[in-house]
Each structure stands twice: as structure tokens, then as C-alpha cells.
């Protein structure tokens, strides 16, 4: 009898095992890994540059891996923060995998690093299925992308520990409906924390950094990375999944 093997499940299972091992190793070293996911153009790199800059200015040892299909533009940009930064070129692959992250960390990540940011490839489809050994998964979207983004990409938003709404300084100009957005988030990931930010004005950036540092100090995320079921967790006062900010 022939046995049909689901190759996708096999690949994901192998990745999950590698990710779990990497997460354990990083935790043993006192490193909190943050996986940043978003669509292209959402402002992910701009936010990360500010997070790295603010952390560096406060003497918090941070590092970042940034992934892209081509060019080292993002690494050059992020290095302006003064943090340790490494570019990963995927050669056309639309996502990072746990073994790639480990390979680039070996011999590179200094002892004493508190936070490792991993800027995933700009894409909300493939990266959503791959655990990278992160402690905190942050999914970012801008107000210019529309209120229905969470229901269009339920895997990405449903597995988020934290959702960041960016470019909020443009919300009024583009007619962004925060009530509808919050309702959509609530349908996909009930109780997930949503933070409002603007890289242009600096709004909310320190709050995001503090949330990451809270994860470093043992404050549990909304739910374990890539766990199947949703659970209710901490809701930030700026916005919840069922109540838009005033």
C-alpha cells in the first residue's frame, strides 16, 4: 500500500522542532526573540529603527536580523540606530525558517543580548506558518491597508501575541474606521493587545518597547507562539480587540 505524505506538514513539523530548540537555547541565554511580520510598506522597518534607537539610547543590549529577497538597504538603515544588525538575503524565498535564523545567530549574537528582533520578509502569507523560535510574535499593519486586513489574513493575525497599528497619524486622512478594525481583530484573535503607533510622530513607540521588555521580564504573551487555540490575554489601555480608541 502506498502512503501519501503531506510534504507541507512534514516541513512545518521539522521547522517547529527546530524552532522549539532555538527558543529554549535563546531563553537559556536570557534572550527574548521578537518576530515582526507585516505586508510590504506597512512601516515595519521605520518602527524597528526607532525601537532599536530607543533601546540603544537606554543602554538595553539589542540586536536585529532583517530579511529580504534582495538588497541590504534595510540593514544599512537599521544600523543607524547603533545596534548590532545583520542582513539575511533569502534568494527569493518569501519567508524565514528557524534553521536560517539559527545559522545566522551562531557566532554572531553577543552574550548579554536582551532582545533579538527578527524582521521577517514583507509578506503576511508564508511567514505566518513558520515559528522562528520567537517569544513574542508581533504583527503590524498600517491604517492605509484597510480595516479588513485581519480577516483577509486570519492566520497571521490569529497567531499574533501583539498587533501594532502603524501610521495612525494618517488615520483621519484615509478615513480609517477603528471601530470596524477592532471588531475584525476581535473575530480573529479575541483579547489580543493592539498598540497604536506612528513612526513619524513617535506615538506609541515607547509603549511597544516596554511591552517587549515586559516579555523579557517574564510577563506572559497573549498566547504561546503557534499554539492552536486562542486565549484571552492582556489588553492595553490604548485599544482592545473589542473597543476602539477614543
Amino acid at each position: 500500500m502506498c502512503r501519501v505524505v503531506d510534504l507541507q506538514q512534514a516541513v512545518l513539523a521539522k521547522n517547529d522542532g527546530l524552532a522549539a530548540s532555538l527558543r529554549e537555547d535563546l531563553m537559556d541565554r536570557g534572550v527574548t526573540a521578537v518576530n515582526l511580520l507585516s505586508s510590504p510598506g506597512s512601516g515595519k522597518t521605520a518602527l524597528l529603527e526607532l525601537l532599536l534607537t530607543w533601546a540603544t539610547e537606554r543602554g538595553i543590549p539589542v540586536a536585529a536580523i532583517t530579511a529580504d529577497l534582495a538588497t541590504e538597504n534595510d540593514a544599512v538603515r537599521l544600523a543607524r540606530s547603533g545596534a548590532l544588525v545583520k542582513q539575511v538575503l533569502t534568494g527569493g524565498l518569501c519567508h524565514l525558517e528557524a534553521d536560517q535564523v539559527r545559522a545566522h545567530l551562531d557566532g554572531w549574537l553577543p552574550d548579554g543580548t536582551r532582545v533579538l528582533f527578527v524582521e521577517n520578509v514583507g509578506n503576511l502569507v508564508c511567514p505566518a506558518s513558520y515559528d522562528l523560535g520567537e517569544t513574542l510574535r508581533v504583527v503590524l499593519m498600517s491604517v492605509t491597508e484597510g480595516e479588513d486586513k485581519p480577516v483577509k489574513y486570519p492566520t497571521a493575525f490569529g497567531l499574533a501575541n501583539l498587533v501594532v497599528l502603524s501610521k495612525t497619524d494618517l488615520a483621519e486622512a484615509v478615513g480609517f474606521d477603528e471601530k470596524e478594525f477592532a471588531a475584525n481583530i476581535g473575530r480573529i484573535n479575541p483579547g489580543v493587545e493592539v498598540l497604536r503607533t506612528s513612526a513619524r510622530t513617535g506615538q506609541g513607540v515607547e509603549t511597544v518597547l516596554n511591552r517587549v521588555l515586559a516579555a523579557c521580564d517574564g510577563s506572559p504573551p497573549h498566547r504561546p507562539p503557534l499554539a492552536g487555540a486562542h486565549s484571552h490575554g492582556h489588553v492595553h489601555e490604548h485599544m482592545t480587540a473589542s473597543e476602539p480608541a477614543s
Side-chain angles (χ1 to χ4, degrees), residues 180-199:
E180 182 180 349
F181 165 72
N184 287 332
I185 283 286
R187 293 187 189 101
I188 300 302
N189 196 341
V192 71
E193 183 179 17
V194 181
L195 299 181
R196 304 171 79 255
T197 66
S198 167

Side-chain angles (χ1 to χ4, degrees), residues 110-127:
D111 290 339
T113 300
R114 191 173 180 193
V115 182
L116 170 68
F117 290 97
V118 180
E119 183 180 18
N120 221 314
V121 179
N123 180 352
L124 284 177
V125 182
C126 302

Side-chain angles (χ1 to χ4, degrees), residues 220-234:
H222 170 66
R223 44 145 214 86
L226 296 184
H230 293 163
S231 62
H232 291 274
H234 176 70

